Amino acid sequence: MSSESDFNAPVRRKPVPEKKIRVLVVDDHPPMRIGLVALIKSQPGMDVIAEASDGEEAIEVYDDVLPDIVLMDLRMPGMGGVEAILAIRKKHPDARVIVVSTYDMDEDIHRAMQSGAKSYLLKDMPIEEIASTIQGVYEGDTPLPRSVQERLMERAQRQQLTERERDVLEALIKGRSNKEIASSLCIAEDTVKSHLKTLFTKLHVRDRTGAAIEAIRHGIIHLK
Amino acid sequence: MSSESDFNAPVRRKPVPEKKIRVLVVDDHPPMRIGLVALIKSQPGMDVIAEASDGEEAIEVYDDVLPDIVLMDLRMPGMGGVEAILAIRKKHPDARVIVVSTYDMDEDIHRAMQSGAKSYLLKDMPIEEIASTIQGVYEGDTPLPRSVQERLMERAQRQQLTERERDVLEALIKGRSNKEIASSLCIAEDTVKSHLKTLFTKLHVRDRTGAAIEAIRHGIIHLK
DNA sequence: ATGACTCTCACCCGTTTGAGGGAAATGACG
DNA sequence: CGTCATTTCCCTCAAACGGGTGAGAGTCAT
């Protein structure tokens, strides 16, 4: 697959000016944005053609510059990364977005890949891995770091929650009692208990406190 | 206070080559480190003289280069920022460390300031604020961003926990029942309940689940 | 249209938890 | 020395919680 091992191609090193990969960087943290931009510009075959600091801006800018690759942060104020990816890929189904996140929670990873991201990088990864992933995605691959793959496998092994179970879990993490959850969801308290029972089983915990912790730990429900 | 409004000083613009502020940057995320370095180097009066990617390295490097200012990430694998600050300030009580963190949890802020940090910045702050804070700390001030100050105030209003209460809270967040907490701390179950009662009061919650959530939200106990 | 899944609700039963009260021992601080 | 905070322990009681079981109504795909 890789263009490097094409033995039949004629050898020509210098002659081709080689078009640079045009990257759009999206991150709400100024120093991180600066770092990603510098990192990419330091790579010979890549260039940053635009930046954005949130989801809405990313969508606008994408339409303007039509980059080859988008490097997108996941958690941003206002429109998050997932919504931005969905919006971009709705208009441009062939858009190639790579998520660059601080968090390695399996639900974050899953949501990102589900929404159409081509890869998922962590900010603690070495610059070589970031660069090679950009290169790989540009060439049509979907190179997913091993550690991220493993997280994704973990999630796959966990039974996934139904919509209603997520509702209950979310209410639970707001600190509500069964009775309060019931009235906030307009169902009977027994129904809440019923959902909780399956939640405990699926999350491999025995009580609501354990469920809350697991939900937060895996990023199933975001705090705040 | 600011050296700009010194009307009595003789005006001399160019002549002074002005010694640059020598900064040590500590962060485990490569792109963030690159960004912080680039940010500082872009400021005329500052320069990065060394970098480190974790606490241990930071301590070593500090001894070597004796920087004017340390820009330190808080959450790092191995030795975290707080321990690094304590270690550095033990040997060099006049060390000036500025924390640069992703998180604005009040406990994180408090622990950092407690350990001797001169200021606490968030990574979503504009580069001007980061630069001016470095300048301010270099000049002997402790310029704390308003939003960070407010967080500190919030924490101050909350009653602080005793060591034993933190033990119970930590065990609680491991998903343990009262009985299990009791045996893990070698105390009676009733004692656990007693601590929980005061915990609920101090955290303004009614049950263990609420306590777990609040503890995580405020960074009192770190998940994982 | 039969099975699979979800959501809903109900009942029983035992355990855990939280609210109320009180009290003794320790060490720190003035 | 007395006072305060902290830690430890005890008791009772009612409410909340969790396990087990079952079951009707709805959607959906095969």
Side-chain angles (χ1 to χ4, degrees):
Chain A
M1 292 304 144
S2 125
S3 61
E4 290 165 337
S5 52
D6 193 348
F7 296 107
N8 297 326
V11 178
R12 36 173 201 182
R13 282 284 137 139
K14 277 283 153 62
V16 182
E18 205 171 343
K19 204 187 67 184
K20 287 193 173 186
I21 304 176
R22 299 160 62 250
V23 181
L24 163 60
V25 173
V26 187
D27 200 306
D28 60 318
H29 294 174
M32 179 58 75
R33 207 166 54 238
I34 293 172
L36 288 171
V37 169
L39 189 161
I40 291 164
K41 286 191 170 172
S42 76
Q43 300 294 314
M46 308 176 186
D47 201 8
V48 175
I49 54 164
E51 303 177 30
S53 59
D54 61 51
E56 285 91 349
E57 207 183 325
I59 297 167
E60 281 178 40
V61 176
Y62 189 97
D63 281 342
D64 285 351
V65 302
L66 296 174
D68 298 318
I69 297 284
V70 183
L71 228 54
M72 172 98 67
D73 189 19
L74 214 50
R75 300 203 188 177
M76 294 180 290
M79 178 182 279
V82 171
E83 294 101 311
I85 294 175
L86 289 172
I88 290 174
R89 284 181 57 87
K90 192 170 180 182
K91 260 186 102 169
H92 311 273
D94 53 347
R96 290 174 182 176
V97 182
I98 300 171
V99 168
V100 185
S101 173
T102 307
Y103 309 96
D104 68 340
M105 293 167 185
D106 50 18
E107 277 290 324
D108 279 343
I109 299 171
H110 178 261
R111 272 194 289 261
M113 302 307 289
Q114 192 81 352
S115 71
K118 297 295 183 198
S119 185
Y120 191 105
L121 299 174
L122 296 172
K123 288 175 178 175
D124 62 359
M125 287 175 174
I127 61 174
E128 295 80 22
E129 186 149 21
I130 299 177
S132 72
T133 301
I134 296 175
Q135 185 69 42
V137 170
Y138 178 70
E139 288 165 2
D141 289 343
T142 53
L144 204 56
R146 196 172 308 271
S147 62
V148 176
Q149 274 183 44
E150 283 166 9
R151 288 286 168 158
L152 219 43
M153 299 297 283
E154 283 177 34
R155 191 205 175 265
Q157 284 169 340
R158 198 174 63 231
Q159 280 196 71
Q160 72 175 329
L161 310 183
T162 67
E163 201 184 327
R164 211 50 170 162
E165 283 158 5
R166 296 176 62 88
D167 290 341
V168 172
L169 192 52
E170 206 173 325
L172 175 68
I173 291 186
K174 285 179 179 155
R176 298 186 179 146
S177 69
N178 289 349
K179 199 172 291 183
E180 287 169 335
I181 295 173
S183 72
S184 78
L185 297 181
C186 297
I187 53 178
E189 196 182 338
D190 274 320
T191 308
V192 174
K193 288 186 183 180
S194 177
H195 287 309
L196 281 179
K197 267 180 280 196
T198 60
L199 268 175
F200 297 158
T201 307
K202 289 184 177 180
L203 296 177
H204 305 112
V205 297
R206 5 168 228 214
D207 53 36
R208 51 182 46 239
T209 307
I213 295 165
E214 280 295 292
I216 295 168
R217 164 174 291 139
H218 294 299
I220 299 172
I221 307 285
H222 284 174
L223 218 39
K224 277 184 185 174
Chain B
M1 301 302 147
S2 119
S3 62
E4 291 166 339
S5 51
D6 192 351
F7 295 107
N8 297 328
V11 178
R12 37 172 196 179
R13 283 283 139 141
K14 278 283 153 61
V16 181
E18 203 169 345
K19 204 186 69 181
K20 286 191 172 186
I21 304 176
R22 300 161 60 252
V23 182
L24 163 61
V25 173
V26 187
D27 200 306
D28 61 317
H29 294 174
M32 178 60 73
R33 206 166 56 237
I34 294 174
L36 289 171
V37 169
L39 189 161
I40 291 165
K41 286 193 170 171
S42 75
Q43 300 293 315
M46 307 176 187
D47 200 9
V48 176
I49 55 163
E51 304 178 31
S53 59
D54 62 51
E56 286 92 349
E57 207 183 324
I59 297 167
E60 283 177 40
V61 176
Y62 189 97
D63 280 343
D64 286 350
V65 302
L66 295 174
D68 299 317
I69 297 285
V70 183
L71 228 54
M72 172 97 68
D73 189 18
L74 214 50
R75 300 201 187 178
M76 293 180 291
M79 178 181 278
V82 170
E83 295 101 310
I85 295 174
L86 289 172
I88 289 173
R89 285 180 58 86
K90 193 171 181 182
K91 262 187 101 168
H92 312 272
D94 54 346
R96 291 174 181 176
V97 182
I98 300 172
V99 168
V100 185
S101 174
T102 307
Y103 308 96
D104 68 339
M105 292 166 187
D106 50 17
E107 277 290 324
D108 280 341
I109 299 170
H110 178 261
R111 273 194 290 261
M113 302 308 288
Q114 193 81 351
S115 71
K118 297 294 183 199
S119 185
Y120 192 107
L121 299 174
L122 296 172
K123 289 176 177 174
D124 63 359
M125 287 174 175
I127 61 174
E128 295 81 21
E129 187 148 22
I130 298 176
S132 73
T133 301
I134 295 173
Q135 185 69 43
V137 170
Y138 178 69
E139 287 165 4
D141 289 344
T142 54
L144 204 56
R146 195 171 304 273
S147 62
V148 176
Q149 274 184 43
E150 284 166 7
R151 288 285 168 157
L152 262 186
M153 298 298 283
E154 283 177 34
R155 190 204 175 268
Q157 284 169 339
R158 199 174 60 232
Q159 278 196 73
Q160 70 175 332
L161 309 184
T162 68
E163 202 185 327
R164 212 51 173 160
E165 284 159 3
R166 295 176 60 89
D167 291 339
V168 172
L169 193 52
E170 206 173 326
L172 175 67
I173 292 185
K174 286 178 180 155
R176 298 185 179 146
S177 69
N178 289 350
K179 200 172 291 186
E180 287 169 336
I181 296 173
S183 72
S184 78
L185 297 181
C186 297
I187 54 177
E189 194 182 338
D190 276 318
T191 309
V192 175
K193 289 184 185 179
S194 176
H195 289 309
L196 282 178
K197 267 182 282 193
T198 60
L199 269 174
F200 297 157
T201 308
K202 289 183 177 179
L203 295 177
H204 306 112
V205 297
R206 351 167 243 211
D207 53 35
R208 50 180 47 235
T209 306
I213 295 165
E214 280 296 291
I216 295 168
R217 164 174 291 139
H218 293 297
I220 298 171
I221 309 285
H222 284 174
L223 219 38
K224 278 184 189 177

